Amino acid sequence: MRYSLTILLSLLAVVMFAQGELTVVSGRVVSRQDGAALAHVSVSALQGAVSTVTNDDGEFTLKVPKRPAYITLSHLGYHTQRVNLSTATEGLKIRMVPSAIMLDDVVVSANDPLEIVLAAIKKIPDNYLNSASLMHCFYRETARKGSRFIAVSEAVTDMYKTTYNRRTTYGDAVSIVRGRRLLSTRAKDTLGIKVMGGPIIPIMLDAVKNAELLLNEEELKLYSLKSEMPERIGERPQYVISLRPLYRVERPLYYARLYIDQQSLTFTRVELELDMDDRGKATEFMLVKKPRGLRFNPKELNTVINYTTSDVDGMTRINYVRNEMRFKCDWKRRLFSSAYTVVSEMVVTEQVAGDSVRRIRGRDTFGPRDYLYDQAGYFDDPDFWGNYNIIEPTESLEHAIDKLKKNR
């Protein structure tokens, strides 16, 4: 079964703990090279049991049940960094060091890229979770008209996943623990945007587990594969393989980049960009429904899926998903169109193991045709998230939330 995306995705994960005394670890991550803020850096504590990602301003906050001795940071193109927490745990300023690939690693470009990808696919049962798992996550979706936010929805979710040995999303499920939303009430913001199935999109986009998405032999025949210059994720060199559509088919294909660990042949990162050559096909893929008289012009749909390997069991699992869609809309008989951006993020913030792993029951399952906006409350409580881990809002989003609350 193939899935249609609707108006954008993006994911983030959050951690959930029992009530009690927590240690807060917070800070800002920048590049040592130029001091620029680093977004989407993976930050983890307690051997990866608790994690989040930095926001676009490079900021993060972790809430952990006990004071960790250190935190670990990992990011594409940078050395993995361990920061000891012997004194302060808040207000940290962390400078990550860019990594470089040595010339002797370049020889990997001579290998057949298709053979590398097919070998990595065969290794999936060995490299990824071989038992059912339950993950606590944080999810956020935002919509902007131009540079101004017009809608925000957030949720803490539970995500249940069956073993990766099956390479199917059948049996995977998401439930909403709690959520909240805001929508602009300005008369000029006449277009309301919702993401159908938003919190379950990370399940659909788990390219390693969902064999129908891209990583199967038949699908790969539709693409031209090329070995790019290798890169590093943390300390580990990666094959980088790009894919370009080779044929025209009844649905839009992707431009893609696959990052594959050279030692373990683990898929560590997948980047997807929807082919926009046929606007009609792209519209059918992204848009579920629209008001009568509205014209939809798709511009861009990008997706990033990151995977992380546990320090405890050595198994790899999905960690972070981000989708960003850009499009323009105009009403018939109007001269100008408006540009919109919809972003969805999900980050896994806690892994549940052992007897705590329970399948999500049917009545609690968030469905592929459900909208988070319809199941969430308003931004009334300043301490809404309590002990949950979230992706910190950027400064611009914080201002937008304040404005939207005032206009209610």
Side-chain angles (χ1 to χ4, degrees):
M1 175 182 179
R2 294 199 177 274
Y3 296 99
S4 177
L5 282 191
T6 201
I7 287 191
L8 196 57
L9 341 140
S10 157
L11 330 111
L12 272 169
V14 162
V15 175
M16 175 164 54
F17 294 112
Q19 297 294 323
E21 194 74 20
L22 294 177
T23 296
V24 175
V25 183
S26 65
R28 186 167 184 261
V29 184
V30 301
S31 172
R32 178 173 291 183
Q33 189 173 41
D34 56 11
L38 294 179
H40 317 137
V41 176
S42 175
V43 184
S44 63
L46 305 180
Q47 293 185 293
V50 184
S51 61
T52 188
V53 296
T54 58
N55 64 14
D56 289 344
D57 299 326
E59 298 170 343
F60 71 92
T61 297
L62 277 177
K63 301 171 186 175
V64 292
K66 62 180 181 180
R67 182 188 178 97
Y70 61 88
I71 58 174
T72 303
L73 297 91
S74 178
H75 193 47
L76 175 65
Y78 287 80
H79 288 290
T80 296
Q81 192 158 334
R82 177 180 289 190
V83 178
N84 293 324
L85 301 176
S86 56
T87 55
T89 62
E90 298 186 60
L92 304 172
K93 187 167 184 180
I94 302 169
R95 296 175 174 84
M96 295 193 72
V97 180
S99 60
I101 293 290
M102 304 304 292
L103 288 178
D104 58 0
D105 286 323
V106 177
V107 297
V108 301
S109 62
N111 292 334
D112 183 340
L114 179 59
E115 288 185 4
I116 294 173
V117 175
L118 292 178
I121 291 174
K122 290 181 180 178
K123 291 280 290 183
I124 289 174
D126 298 325
N127 289 335
Y128 294 83
L129 289 174
N130 53 19
S131 62
S133 63
L134 183 67
M135 306 173 184
H136 299 315
C137 309
F138 180 74
Y139 171 82
R140 176 185 288 137
E141 60 191 46
T142 62
R144 282 179 289 158
K145 182 179 180 182
S147 60
R148 184 167 51 83
F149 287 91
I150 61 173
V152 180
S153 297
E154 301 176 323
V156 171
T157 69
D158 282 344
M159 180 168 64
Y160 176 85
K161 296 182 76 68
T162 60
T163 172
Y164 275 71
N165 294 341
R166 300 171 57 190
R167 297 213 63 206
T168 175
T169 60
Y170 181 79
D172 294 359
V174 165
S175 64
I176 306 299
V177 177
R178 65 186 318 179
R180 62 183 188 176
R181 93 277 191 178
L182 279 172
L183 182 68
S184 172
T185 57
R186 292 177 53 166
K188 291 183 179 180
D189 298 329
T190 55
L191 183 64
I193 297 173
K194 298 179 182 179
V195 180
M196 181 182 287
I200 71 167
I201 287 172
I203 288 178
M204 302 174 187
L205 291 179
D206 187 346
V208 174
K209 195 169 191 293
N210 182 4
E212 296 183 356
L213 181 64
L214 178 64
L215 298 178
N216 67 79
E217 194 164 355
E218 290 302 312
E219 191 75 11
L220 291 172
K221 291 178 180 178
L222 303 176
Y223 292 89
S224 170
L225 281 71
K226 178 183 176 182
S227 289
E228 306 287 351
M229 288 292 292
E231 297 195 39
R232 287 186 185 272
I233 296 180
E235 305 309 304
R236 301 182 69 89
Q238 309 284 317
Y239 296 112
V240 181
I241 296 172
S242 62
L243 285 74
R244 296 177 61 89
L246 197 56
Y247 305 105
R248 287 188 176 273
V249 295
E250 73 283 357
R251 53 188 167 78
L253 299 176
Y254 293 102
Y255 291 88
R257 286 169 69 89
L258 308 177
Y259 294 76
I260 301 172
D261 186 284
Q262 291 184 17
Q263 180 177 346
S264 64
L265 291 181
T266 301
F267 292 100
T268 53
R269 180 180 173 97
V270 178
E271 300 173 355
L272 304 173
E273 179 183 348
L274 194 69
D275 184 0
M276 292 288 176
D277 284 349
D278 190 320
R279 300 286 174 172
K281 290 179 182 177
T283 296
E284 184 178 353
F285 183 78
M286 293 189 292
L287 185 65
V288 176
K289 63 180 178 180
K290 63 179 181 64
R292 185 185 300 273
L294 181 74
R295 289 181 290 204
F296 179 88
N297 183 8
K299 293 295 183 181
E300 188 178 345
L301 175 57
N302 296 319
T303 301
V304 174
I305 309 109
N306 284 342
Y307 297 86
T308 186
T309 301
S310 170
D311 294 335
V312 178
D313 59 17
M315 293 286 101
T316 302
R317 63 206 81 194
I318 195 167
N319 171 254
Y320 176 71
V321 181
R322 176 185 172 90
N323 276 342
E324 183 168 348
M325 185 172 78
R326 301 180 186 275
F327 56 93
K328 288 189 173 182
C329 289
D330 67 89
W331 299 92
K332 292 179 181 178
R333 301 179 182 176
R334 290 191 182 179
L335 184 59
F336 300 105
S337 61
S338 297
Y340 293 87
T341 303
V342 181
V343 175
S344 308
E345 291 183 281
M346 187 272 319
V347 60
V348 175
T349 55
E350 185 183 9
Q351 307 288 337
V352 180
D355 295 337
S356 299
V357 176
R358 292 285 186 272
R359 185 184 298 271
I360 296 172
R361 292 177 293 184
R363 65 174 178 271
D364 298 324
T365 300
F366 189 92
R369 295 186 176 275
D370 292 337
Y371 297 96
L372 175 60
Y373 187 86
D374 297 334
Q375 298 190 19
Y378 289 107
F379 278 64
D380 290 325
D381 182 1
D383 298 318
F384 184 82
W385 297 122
N387 293 345
Y388 295 103
N389 277 287
I390 66 171
I391 296 175
E392 283 295 303
T394 59
E395 184 177 357
S396 60
L397 182 56
E398 285 183 326
H399 291 331
I401 290 172
D402 288 339
K403 290 179 180 179
L404 291 172
K405 289 169 71 174
K406 291 175 182 177
N407 291 334
R408 276 180 51 196

